[in-house]
Amino acid sequence: MIEMGLQEEAKRRFGKYRKRKYKGVLVSAVAILYFVFIGFHVDYSKIQDVFSGIGKILIELSIVLVFFVIYIIGLLIIQGSGIEIQKILFEECNPYLYEACLRKCRVLWKRDAFTCTLAAAKYYQGDKEQMYHELQSIQVFKLKRTALVNYYSLMSDYYFSHGLQDRVSELEQACARSIGRGKNNQKQYRIFCASNNLRRAMANEDYGAAFQFLMEIKELQGSNGNRLFLVIHHMWEARIYLALGEKESAKVNLDYVVEKGGCLGIVNQAKRLLKTTQI
């Protein structure tokens, strides 16, 4: 029954996404048709008789301007439809519904980036084995920007959780060679490295350093009202406070994870910690 309800909700959400996307495509198509039919059917000779050469230039500029305005509106509508799907994970913290919606998409290009997104959904569900299975099918050289960093981040997490932390530096080096020098690319790479250093510090019981790396991640990543990031930040704070023996501070953070974490896999982790540590 739960699975049936999930699929019904995914169908409803994906239907809204598709309708909005089609509206954006329609607006963009109208812009193109406008440019083709208006741009090539204006009688410039009559305009030039009235306004001289300047009139023709002004008319041409107005046509181009109107085209770009309508076309950009269409692109923004299309982009907004994708954001609605992303909100399921980043705002509602429901990786199961997020995955169900993703699997309804027909992917014609950037399949590897799409597979990386599916792997991320499995990661947030707490299913790291299935996450790894998805990652194994990816051709890494085809990934760009955020998808590339996400791939190496997920692989790093898998290595850490399976006692293969010595291999993580290889992933960092591979990511550094491929990520590019763009400002946002470098920012994503710094978050990736800080996240790995956070895990290293926790493993080495250097909790002061772990807290500093978490603060660096918060500063670089920012919350921007992003509920997913906030929940993850609170979970790491809880782990640090528990390691330091500060149970009350840990409880505040764990309670936040349970309350705001939706269907994330770390919610079950937080509940177990609350129960086993008796706080």
Side-chain angles (χ1 to χ4, degrees):
M1 291 296 292
I2 295 176
E3 178 64 23
M4 185 180 297
L6 178 68
Q7 292 302 325
E8 285 297 318
E9 181 62 14
K11 182 179 179 180
R12 186 183 72 81
R13 297 287 190 98
F14 189 75
K16 289 178 63 177
Y17 153 79
R18 187 165 52 190
K19 286 178 181 177
R20 185 166 182 175
K21 183 177 180 179
Y22 286 167
K23 287 179 182 178
V25 171
L26 179 61
V27 171
S28 298
V30 168
I32 294 172
L33 289 173
Y34 164 83
F35 184 76
V36 171
F37 286 98
I38 302 298
F40 292 95
H41 290 79
V42 173
D43 190 345
Y44 291 107
S45 60
K46 294 182 179 179
I47 296 172
Q48 197 164 3
D49 290 340
V50 179
F51 298 102
S52 72
I54 296 177
K56 179 182 178 181
I57 295 173
L58 291 175
I59 292 296
E60 288 176 339
L61 287 175
S62 67
I63 290 172
V64 171
L65 180 62
V66 171
F67 161 73
F68 274 113
V69 168
I70 299 174
Y71 189 73
I72 289 172
I73 289 173
L75 293 181
L76 289 174
I77 294 172
I78 294 171
Q79 185 182 36
S81 65
I83 291 173
E84 289 301 313
I85 297 295
Q86 292 176 12
K87 282 182 178 179
I88 296 172
L89 177 63
F90 290 97
E91 300 298 338
E92 299 176 30
C93 294
N94 191 336
Y96 297 95
L97 180 58
Y98 181 63
E99 181 191 0
C101 288
L102 289 176
R103 292 196 181 279
K104 292 184 178 295
C105 296
R106 294 181 180 179
V107 183
L108 300 178
W109 58 84
K110 295 186 178 181
R111 291 179 180 272
D112 294 280
F114 180 76
T115 302
C116 194
T117 304
L118 288 175
K122 289 298 184 183
Y123 168 77
Y124 289 117
Q125 293 168 17
D127 189 350
K128 293 187 179 182
E129 295 305 319
Q130 190 59 39
M131 173 199 78
Y132 183 72
H133 176 74
E134 295 284 0
L135 292 174
Q136 290 299 99
S137 66
I138 291 175
Q139 300 179 75
V140 185
F141 69 90
K142 290 186 177 181
L143 299 178
K144 304 293 182 184
R145 297 181 289 276
T146 301
L148 181 70
V149 177
N150 285 345
Y151 170 84
Y152 284 115
S153 296
L154 295 172
M155 284 297 296
S156 295
D157 184 273
Y158 184 83
Y159 282 174
F160 276 115
S161 63
H162 286 73
L164 302 171
Q165 54 268 24
D166 292 341
R167 297 177 60 183
V168 172
S169 59
E170 298 174 12
L171 298 177
E172 293 170 343
Q173 293 167 14
C175 186
R177 288 193 296 269
S178 306
I179 190 57
R181 296 183 180 181
K183 184 177 180 180
N184 189 59
N185 292 341
Q186 288 300 310
K187 178 182 175 181
Q188 293 295 323
Y189 178 71
R190 288 175 63 191
I191 294 171
F192 164 53
C193 291
S195 298
N196 288 343
N197 288 332
L198 169 58
R199 290 180 171 86
R200 291 183 180 109
M202 291 294 290
N204 294 331
E205 299 182 0
D206 188 349
Y207 304 120
F211 190 78
Q212 290 300 317
F213 286 124
L214 179 57
M215 292 303 103
E216 181 182 354
I217 293 168
K218 285 185 177 183
E219 182 180 351
L220 289 168
Q221 202 170 47
S223 63
N224 296 322
N226 188 317
R227 184 170 147 193
L228 175 67
F229 289 167
L230 287 172
V231 171
I232 293 171
H233 295 163
H234 278 278
M235 189 64 186
W236 276 112
E237 284 193 41
R239 290 167 178 155
I240 294 171
Y241 283 128
L242 278 175
L244 292 171
E246 299 182 23
K247 291 187 177 182
E248 289 303 318
S249 296
K251 184 179 185 304
V252 171
N253 285 280
L254 290 172
D255 285 340
Y256 181 92
V257 174
V258 173
E259 180 184 355
K260 301 292 186 180
C263 300
L264 296 174
I266 58 175
V267 171
N268 291 329
Q269 295 178 31
K271 289 179 179 178
R272 286 195 297 269
L273 287 172
L274 284 167
K275 183 177 181 180
T276 57
T277 56
Q278 297 181 343
I279 55 177

